[in-house]
Amino acid sequence: MKTPFVSKEQLDQITKEFPTPFHLYDEKGIRETARAVNEAFAWNSGFKEYFAVKATPNPSILKILQEEGCGVDCATDVEVMMAKKLDFKDISFTSNDTRAEEFIYAREVGAVINLDAYEHIAFLEEVAGLPETVSLRYNPGGVFALGTDIMDHPEESKFGMTKAQLLQGYKDLKAKGVKNFGLHAFLASNTVTNDYYPTLAGQLFELALEIKEETGVELSFINLSGGVGIDYSPADKQNDIAVIGQGVHEKFDQILVPNGLGQIKIFTELGRFMLASHGHLVTKVLHLKDTYRHYVGVDASAVNLLRPAMYDAYHHITNVSNPEGPLQVVDVTGSLCENNDKFAKNRELPEARVGDTLVIHDTGAHGFSMGYQYNARLRSAEILLQEDGSAKLIRRAEKPEDYFATLYGFGLEG
Ligand SMILES: *Cc1c(COP(=O)(O)O)cnc(C)c1O
């Protein structure tokens, strides 16, 4: 059973103060997860989680993670600006198809640059000069499998470089005077198994030995990146980060330590695992409609949460106002002029009534941040449920003048 992290009484209070829809984040849960991740990798003295900013780019959230000892991974110069403004000391920059200005800026603020392409070595050198520390992103091609389970298809992924390019890259960088080296790979997304990180780590640790042998480069850090998933569906098993950390530890002790590479630091760039389950999209039922199906129309839409429309992703829904109501099979829809604007299809839910409050679960990562403004539907507010139980507005909802602000000569720019 998935239950909201907020009680009905709390939600009634919050929705009285702030109009729906909004994303609500759970500070207590965020801190607990950050601590569990740090604890799981405490065996590695240089361990750091670089939270993937793109998952939840809100300064109040980033500040909480900073207090818990996390750094940030940025993909664009604007994300780096946010990190810089928040005074993050540990910033990594993992981008692809990167503009020159972005490399220049990342270099200027001292972010650790992780290169997506062999070709970017020459590009970075030309536009910004090579820093002392450079990380390279690996793509082994083929499929990424755990036993007989195919988890993802790296050969179809635009990210990373081949092994030959990687080895040549380290040789080139070393010859050009680079001093510290990192290795990065992201081979499967939203994995719901404790074996993903340990399997990935095993492959990267073996590769570290090969890199040392072929190029003489001893890596300073290995970045396992993101990809550890959460249980979006009640049918999914929850990942156990302690078991995952232990699994990576075992590979580390088996492969790196006996080969004199026990000083390598482990980094992660988790986004989803850190935040997804600590966010709810809170919405109210506006209308009921019966045609060939039963429709529950809510005041949120795909602009607030794109994952169902984009990936047909499952997000659990709780009717907080009528949890014991008789079950009904319904489609839960937003208002966009797009038939994919559905949060649930043929879902069995307790009877929804006009005015009921629904919680759409697990929207804390890649939720608000993937939002857009189709149909001139504006972005929602973001609210933090603080540890003391009080609610704090951490981003206001957009107003029409925000939507018009970038136009010239229209007269409604505000
Ligand atoms: C998106 C992304 C992440 C975070 O991925 P999650 O699946 O949210 O953990 C980490 N690193 C990079 C480079 C990414 O692009």
Side-chain angles (χ1 to χ4, degrees), residues 52 54 73 94 137 184 186 225-227 269-272 366:
K54 73 168 192 265
D73 180 54
T94 306
R137 181 167 184 171
H184 173 286
F186 190 159
S225 190
E269 289 170 350
L270 298 169
R272 194 185 311 276
H366 314 295

Side-chain angles (χ1 to χ4, degrees), residues 137-212:
R137 181 167 184 171
Y138 175 51
N139 181 335
V143 296
F144 185 84
L146 296 179
T148 54
D149 281 348
I150 292 177
M151 308 295 291
D152 226 318
H153 298 79
E155 72 183 359
E156 293 171 13
S157 160
K158 68 171 180 167
F159 303 109
M161 60 190 84
T162 67
K163 191 198 272 189
Q165 291 174 326
L166 192 81
L167 294 172
Q168 189 59 47
Y170 289 121
K171 283 183 199 161
D172 295 357
L173 290 167
K174 195 175 154 205
K176 290 171 191 293
V178 169
K179 301 234 161 18
N180 311 302
F181 303 87
L183 170 65
H184 173 286
F186 190 159
L187 303 187
S189 197
N190 190 28
T191 57
V192 190
T193 158
N194 292 330
D195 294 333
Y196 169 63
Y197 255 9
T199 305
L200 171 69
Q203 291 183 10
L204 296 182
F205 296 168
E206 297 284 358
L207 183 56
L209 303 186
E210 207 175 323
I211 290 165
K212 185 179 167 185

Side-chain angles (χ1 to χ4, degrees), residues 5 56 230 232 271-280 315 361-366:
F5 55 70
T56 324
I230 63 138
Y232 283 103
R272 194 185 311 276
F273 185 79
M274 302 298 286
L275 249 301
S277 54
H278 306 309
H280 291 331
H315 280 265
H361 291 249
D362 303 317
T363 66
H366 314 295

